[in-house]
Amino acid sequence: EDQVTQSPEALRLQEGESSSLNCSYTVSGLRGLFWYRQDPGKGPEFLFTLYSAGEEKEKERLKATLTKKESFLHITAPKPEDSATYLCAVQSDAGKSTFGDGTTLTVKP
Amino acid sequence: DSGVTQTPKHLITATGQRVTLRCSPRSGDLSVYWYQQSLDQGLQFLIQYYNGEERAKGNILERFSAQQFPDLHSELNLSSLELGDSALYFCASSFSLLGGGPGELFFGEGSRLTVL
């Protein structure tokens, strides 16, 4: 069974304090790994897709990386508006998507 | 704005009742997915439709059913409601069977169901 584990569950940072979120996964044939951002009471918003180990994607203060067993979402010099829950999901070759429980990031000014 | 529309946004009902949640996918998207998100749980996959046909089932209860219509909108029917069914129900869409790009899902704003 495909599994996605995200850590930490919650992360509190000061504005400007860089850090990383982890997503460990097991999947029967990885078709893609996805990062989403979810604000309270809203639907998840797509951020990145990573397809193969060694791949990196960047968007503003966020950078996602992928290895064969995990992915990291690096947040550089975060701002309060980066506060949200970040979800990781994997899609198997069979097309099934499995989501992790997310990391809730709080950035204090 | 993801382009996925869900109605109603909020719904309060009593135990034992039946409700229908509606989803209009992004223009051109053929796949519709339903997810449940409770306070103490992450996103739980319920069911997927592709161009009107059921393609995958997740942890969907027998009291729940869904369908996708010829115009590609979808409805999730929840019956004999219990207190534990209170949750946010999200619809997501993607272009292809295997996902938008592949796998990229575009989520609606959700329907918040409260069962009293």
Side-chain angles (χ1 to χ4, degrees):
Chain A
E1 185 178 331
D2 301 339
Q3 282 194 319
V4 177
T5 303
Q6 292 188 246
S7 61
E9 287 186 17
L11 181 63
R12 298 169 70 93
L13 301 173
Q14 287 297 125
E15 185 172 2
E17 180 186 0
S18 301
S19 188
S20 296
L21 313 181
N22 177 263
C23 170
S24 299
Y25 64 90
T26 55
V27 63
S28 53
L30 179 70
R31 186 172 181 88
L33 183 140
F34 311 93
W35 283 98
Y36 293 83
R37 169 191 170 127
Q38 185 175 23
D39 292 301
K42 303 284 188 180
E45 176 189 348
F46 170 75
L47 293 173
F48 302 110
T49 308
L50 300 166
Y51 297 109
S52 57
E55 188 174 1
E56 297 182 354
K57 293 272 179 77
E58 281 190 70
K59 180 180 180 180
E60 296 181 359
R61 295 176 291 283
L62 300 177
K63 181 167 112 176
T65 61
L66 181 65
T67 71
K68 287 188 176 178
K69 294 188 175 179
E70 58 191 351
S71 176
F72 292 94
L73 184 65
H74 306 278
I75 302 177
T76 302
K79 298 182 177 181
E81 52 262 42
D82 295 323
S83 297
T85 296
Y86 291 85
L87 299 169
C88 173
V90 295
Q91 188 180 49
S92 67
D93 283 343
K96 182 186 171 188
S97 290
T98 303
F99 280 80
D101 288 341
T103 293
T104 299
L105 173 67
T106 304
V107 182
K108 297 259 184 184
Chain B
D1 183 4
S2 67
V4 177
T5 304
Q6 287 188 250
T7 57
K9 289 192 186 331
H10 301 276
L11 192 55
I12 301 174
T13 188
T15 54
Q17 295 298 305
R18 171 190 170 96
V19 298
T20 297
L21 309 181
R22 183 189 167 104
C23 170
S24 294
R26 288 189 320 160
S27 177
D29 281 358
L30 301 177
S31 277
V32 169
Y33 306 74
W34 286 97
Y35 285 85
Q36 180 191 56
Q37 188 174 47
S38 305
L39 275 176
D40 57 349
Q41 288 191 329
L43 277 169
Q44 301 294 314
F45 169 66
L46 296 177
I47 197 164
Q48 178 205 353
Y49 281 83
Y50 175 77
N51 204 21
E53 293 187 7
E54 182 184 305
R55 285 295 179 166
K57 256 185 177 179
N59 301 321
I60 188 167
L61 299 171
E62 285 192 10
R63 300 183 285 110
F64 297 179
S65 64
Q67 59 185 111
Q68 186 180 26
F69 295 86
D71 67 352
L72 300 178
H73 91 270
S74 178
E75 292 181 356
L76 179 67
N77 300 297
L78 314 175
S79 61
S80 302
L81 286 168
E82 302 174 359
L83 295 177
D85 297 328
S86 295
L88 261 173
Y89 290 85
F90 287 107
C91 169
S93 73
S94 67
F95 176 71
S96 73
L97 174 65
L98 294 180
E104 297 160 10
L105 301 180
F106 297 89
F107 284 82
E109 294 284 285
S111 293
R112 182 175 293 281
L113 173 66
T114 302
V115 182
L116 300 176

